[in-house]
Amino acid sequence: MQRVFEAIDPMKDVDGVHPTNLVNLVIREKEPLYMPCTAKGCLYIIQKYCPSVIGKRVVVVGQSMIVGSPLAYLLQNLDATVTSCNAMTRDLSAITREADILVISIGSPLFVRGDWIKPGALVVDVGTSFIPDMSSKSGRRLVGDVDFQEAVKVAGHITPVPGGVGPMTTAMLLENVFTAWKRTNFPMRIPYA
């Protein structure tokens, strides 16, 4: 997969997965040309409900290169206190209960229970999985990594699945495509030295 990502022209990397864009995301001196769309969408949601993350305790569960890791770096660059975990982290529920902002992206349906969430926390559920549901026409139902029915009673704000992070990912991809179009059609003129 890495070879595929490296083959992409960084100027056309609207998904934000080229190593150049990811490295620029990690180091604070340089802006990436494009941010990974799902991480960018999660950040948009977080900043909508929590305009300043400075000093906020953020727990990101999931360390993928398109969501968890880039989002953790974005939030660290905004001076949030970020703890990055995975599904195998010891005593994960104790860690998530400390989060002012909890982001979960591990692909395990209904993994996070209501008692794992700090009262009033912002919960961003990135996961999408199908579970059996004989009451639906298809015999299955789309759910997130968070048990929404339990979490909604505790969380201050929570993204639904479906209809939460997915549409934001699409919107951020469109924004990146528009930015790429502008860069292609209206390149900056760099003066000669």
Side-chain angles (χ1 to χ4, degrees), residues 6 12-13 17 27-28 31 37 40 43 50 55 58 63 65 83 85 92 104 118 135 150 152 159 166 179:
E6 289 171 359
K12 296 178 182 178
D13 177 29
V17 295
I27 59 175
R28 289 180 177 217
E31 284 288 316
C37 301
K40 186 177 176 181
L43 183 63
C50 185
V58 181
Q63 299 168 325
M65 290 310 297
T83 302
C85 305
L92 182 58
I104 180 154
K118 179 180 179 178
S135 66
E150 289 184 16
V152 75
T159 59
T179 299

Side-chain angles (χ1 to χ4, degrees), residues 53-95:
V53 296
I54 295 171
K56 297 282 186 188
R57 178 71 187 255
V58 181
V59 174
V60 178
V61 183
Q63 299 168 325
S64 74
M65 290 310 297
I66 59 170
V67 184
S69 293
L71 183 59
Y73 286 118
L74 286 167
L75 290 163
Q76 286 172 349
N77 289 345
L78 294 172
D79 295 322
T81 303
V82 180
T83 302
S84 184
C85 305
N86 60 56
M88 299 299 136
T89 299
R90 288 189 189 151
D91 206 9
L92 182 58
S93 62
I95 296 168

Side-chain angles (χ1 to χ4, degrees), residues 6 13 18 20 24 39 42 45 65 68 88 117-118 125 132 172 182 188-189 192:
E6 289 171 359
D13 177 29
H18 188 278
T20 298
N24 288 346
C42 289
I45 292 168
M65 290 310 297
M88 299 299 136
I117 299 168
K118 179 180 179 178
D125 188 353
M172 296 303 115
K182 288 190 300 187
M188 293 175 50
R189 302 200 193 306
Y192 293 101

Side-chain angles (χ1 to χ4, degrees), residues 14-16 35-42 66 168-170 172-174 176:
V14 294
D15 287 312
M35 288 188 272
C37 301
T38 305
K40 186 177 176 181
C42 289
I66 59 170
M168 288 307 306
T169 299
T170 303
M172 296 303 115
L173 177 60
L174 290 173
N176 283 355

